[in-house]
Amino acid sequence: MSLTLAEARSRAAVLSNISYDLDLDLTDPAQGTYGCTARVGVTTAEPETFLELKDGEGLTVTLDGEPVDHSYDGRRVRLRGLPTGVPLVLEVVARVPYVTDGDGMHLMTDAADGETYASAYLSLDVAQRVFPCFDQVDLKGPLTLAVTADPRWTVIANGRVVSDAEERAAGRWRFATTPPVCPSLFVVCAGPWHSVTWEHAGLPFGWHARASLAADLDRDAPELIETTNGCFDHYATLFEEPYAFDSYDQLFGPGHNWGAMETPGCVTYRDEYLPRGRTSEVARVGRATTIAHEMAHMWFGNLVTMRWWEDTWLNESFADYLGYRVAADGAGFPDTLVGHEGRRKPGAYTADERRSTHPVAPLPEEVPDVDSAFANFDAISYSKGNSLLRQLVTWLGDPDFLAGVNAHLSAHRFGNATLADFVASLDAHSERDVAAWAQAWLRTTGFDILAVTRESIDGQDDVPVLRRQGTRPHRVAVVALDGPREVARALVDVADDPVPLPDWAGLAVVPNAGGESFVRLALDPASSAAVAEHLSSFEDPLLRTVLWAHAFDRVHTRDLDVAGYVELVRQHLPRESDATLVGAVVGRTLGPVLALRTPAEHAPTVVATVAGACAVGLLSSAAPTEGVALALTQGLAATSSDAGMLEGWLAAGHTEAGVALDPTLRWRVVARLAELGQLDAEGIEAERVADPTSSGDLGAARALAARPTAAAKAEAWATMTEPGVGNRLFEACATGLWSAEEPSLVREYVDAYLEQAPGIAGSRGQGFSLVVGRAFPTVALTAGQKERLAALLASGSVPTVLARLWNDTLDDLA
């Protein structure tokens, strides 16, 4: 029932003048449903069309008080006999179910205080799970909302509150009508939120979180306000079009499936972005880039919206690129690109070699339905697209790029646009052939290789030469290295002809040193040897990150074996001075390297090497910064086999180095002790009682699942397969369940996962399918299990979103 391109084009051709006036009754969550009355304005050129509404109960449809000829199958309301060519207002009344998986009106009761929260987090095919609508991006219309809720609650939505204090005290909230938006940009969040509000640039702003997180919000509020204001002001210097909405709230919401959602007027974030007890340096930088990312969507996605999902990149690539740029330039977080190059971009290279790869900007017919579109919200659309935009700006120049961007935004404000529209705007403001660049980069898959070779030129030996293997133009920074020192840097264009660098004869050379392009590196032996010897000593953190990413890529391609890679970790991780990069190396090593490239019998060695490197770094004579110390401690807590040390941390509430155990770090230690068999259910329950919060419940669930016993694994799997299990509980149990160090203990649950996951995903929808797919076993699969995975995918019985994730894993294992 996923909307097809043909259906969307057909419906858009006959519908116009769309508007929504919604009235939601959230007063009795215990019913399991909420009341929804929608007055849908529309003009249609045909007497038949359809609305979407998922699982509505007691549905009625009227026009001017009279019933409308319709049928309803639980997903689509098919309308017949409508008057044509005149404005209509259809009234649709139904009760709609709450959900616990984040795909719809998510209902959550906070274990910390028993308070309940109802929040609608929308995305592809999710608006229809909240209210009846024409659920496609090119059918935009103004939206008006009223909500009746518990009088103790605060309700936050897309527009400013227009109800007076007396109404709100009685539980009645009314909001100003929005400019034209597509249905997936609707948001409403209701509950006893704790709020921090202020005014800036003539607009009301706010940050909101669950009442139990009040102290954490107050702790971070000064930085959150400063970051928000800094990003907002910087966008005003980049874009000529002003912010188009009447307020700017931001909310940390429970149960969110995405990192965040750019709904105008009220951006929503996973509430993990507000850590309990302490926000680390790495988390602060990552959160700032996300704040800037979501704010970019106010222009790219909200003001100007794609026409169909082939242009997802016009939303996500731009927001990803601008998120890192504006967090650095506007909010004062330097070196944000370390996170992109170290954490995000390596996954994009991997994604671009899978069968599922696709152009950053595919053709419309290559995205035939919304389920297919959902699968394209991936590393290609985000990280590769971001990287291509960085290359475009480097190649085009910032002034011409911004001139074209501003022309595009002004020409299509509150409308829908395509790649062709955007390229036309850039072409009009640049002497370069942007259309040819877009064809070469955006309409194709894969990536080029920049190779360094050595030649004798004009009697001079050992001259580094850059050669491109591929077809795309590149403009990149190239550095020359003399031992651990960078001695020269230049911006170089590389195309068909080799580029000799005679001034750098005898020196190690690294192209794409700032990550300006999306390209694989092939270093010559001398440069590779210099990198292996001096990696942690190079002064520029972005250069170090590019070189670590090069090492990740070499392991992925098997150009570097796991033993050689682990030696890099042993030698250089203890001396790394950037906290984000420390986290990236630990995460990559314990993630893809361990799960996809390490034989099962060698997994304990890899884990032990990470633990040893982290321990050495913490004991280094050059004391690490607070951020690096925490990142190393997190790595050690996840890998150490020294139960006595970990138990000592729990007893003292801090490490020997004085790093305090905030709740997140404490639960990481608890999970590791459980995994080592040193903490039983009684001990885990004592920790849960001491932390009677929702995150405490999830930490306990993960720890219980991590225990190295058959009974513990059976209990975890039983919880994961309960009907209606919440998304966060499923994630927590899956994280604890898989044990790379003892694969025999979970082998039967790998088989169970392959057998049962398609049914779970098929019954729960797109968002939960992502949760299920991301819970793929992180242990080495047997040959038989790989064959079983391939056979299931070949059978066509795996739902679309899950099939995409499983096919990707199968490719990664190949």
Side-chain angles (χ1 to χ4, degrees), residues 468-493:
R468 180 196 67 184
Q469 299 172 22
T471 59
R472 302 167 181 88
H474 301 269
R475 175 171 286 182
V476 297
V478 185
V479 299
L481 303 169
D482 184 4
R485 296 185 304 112
E486 178 182 326
V487 294
R489 180 180 291 242
L491 198 62
V492 176
D493 286 297

Side-chain angles (χ1 to χ4, degrees), residues 111-112 276 650-651 653 661-664 666-667 670 679 681-700:
R276 294 169 53 233
L650 288 186
L661 267 62
D662 58 67
T664 301
R666 187 175 185 90
W667 278 113
V670 168
L679 197 62
E682 184 178 351
I684 295 168
E685 175 62 11
E687 291 287 337
R688 191 200 65 78
V689 170
D691 182 11
T693 66
S694 297
S695 55
D697 287 348
L698 296 176

Side-chain angles (χ1 to χ4, degrees), residues 14 44-49 68-69 78-85 88:
V14 300
T44 177
E46 298 289 343
E48 295 188 8
T49 189
V68 173
D69 184 12
R78 298 192 177 275
L79 307 168
R80 296 177 287 270
L82 297 176
T84 60
L88 309 175

Side-chain angles (χ1 to χ4, degrees), residues 309 336 349 676 746:
W309 301 103
T336 57
Y349 288 115
L676 294 171
V746 294

Side-chain angles (χ1 to χ4, degrees), residues 20-22 24 105 119-123 127 130-131 141-147 155-162 173-190 203-206 208 243-251 261-268 297-298 301-303 414:
Y20 298 97
D21 187 344
L22 305 180
L24 305 181
M105 188 70 78
S119 300
Y121 314 124
L122 274 53
S123 183
V130 177
F131 67 98
L143 191 148
T144 307
L145 173 67
V147 176
V155 182
I156 305 162
N158 298 100
R160 288 194 195 201
V161 177
V162 295
W173 295 75
R174 294 182 294 109
F175 298 88
T177 301
T178 70
V181 295
C182 56
S184 59
L185 293 179
F186 170 76
V187 65
V188 62
C189 300
L203 295 173
F205 282 71
H208 313 271
Y243 175 68
F245 305 92
D246 68 2
S247 57
Y248 204 93
D249 285 298
Q250 296 174 94
L251 180 139
M261 183 63 193
E262 67 268 19
T263 38
C266 177
V267 178
T268 56
H297 279 306
M298 301 303 135
N302 297 359
L303 179 67
F414 294 126

Side-chain angles (χ1 to χ4, degrees), residues 9-98:
R9 290 283 192 264
S10 176
R11 186 162 62 173
V14 300
L15 301 186
S16 60
N17 300 324
I18 293 169
S19 65
Y20 298 97
D21 187 344
L22 305 180
D23 198 325
L24 305 181
D25 182 354
L26 308 179
T27 54
D28 190 4
Q31 288 191 52
T33 61
Y34 61 92
C36 177
T37 299
R39 288 169 286 278
V40 182
V42 65
T43 299
T44 177
E46 298 289 343
E48 295 188 8
T49 189
F50 63 92
L51 288 158
E52 287 104 329
L53 177 66
K54 185 75 165 64
D55 296 334
E57 300 175 5
L59 182 135
T60 64
V61 186
T62 57
L63 175 62
D64 295 331
E66 296 297 322
V68 173
D69 184 12
H70 72 280
S71 60
Y72 181 51
D73 61 4
R75 184 70 177 264
R76 293 184 174 180
V77 184
R78 298 192 177 275
L79 307 168
R80 296 177 287 270
L82 297 176
T84 60
V86 297
L88 309 175
V89 178
L90 298 163
E91 184 171 271
V92 184
V93 179
R95 293 200 66 82
V96 182
Y98 289 105

Side-chain angles (χ1 to χ4, degrees), residues 102 106-109 117-119 121 193 209-210 251-257 269-272 694 727-728:
H106 183 88
L107 195 65
M108 180 265 196
T109 298
Y117 298 84
S119 300
Y121 314 124
W193 306 109
R210 284 181 282 139
L251 180 139
F252 297 106
H256 216 301
N257 280 324
Y269 301 81
R270 297 175 71 104
D271 56 12
E272 287 86 349
S694 297
N727 52 357
R728 291 294 194 272

Side-chain angles (χ1 to χ4, degrees), residues 341-343 345-347 349 447 449-452 509-513 519-525 527-532 535 538 542-561 565 568 581 585 588 593:
E341 295 289 331
R343 290 178 175 270
K345 196 173 179 180
Y349 288 115
F447 47 86
I449 297 173
L450 284 186
V452 180
V509 170
V510 177
N512 202 36
V519 63
R520 173 169 282 156
L521 299 183
L523 302 183
D524 64 288
S527 297
S528 290
V531 168
L535 175 54
F538 301 130
L542 188 54
L543 173 61
R544 298 197 304 274
T545 305
V546 167
L547 292 170
W548 270 111
H550 175 53
F552 302 159
D553 187 55
R554 291 183 65 199
V555 176
H556 167 70
T557 61
R558 296 183 171 84
D559 178 53
L560 177 66
D561 62 21
Y565 170 80
L568 284 178
L581 186 48
V585 174
R588 193 77 184 177
V593 172

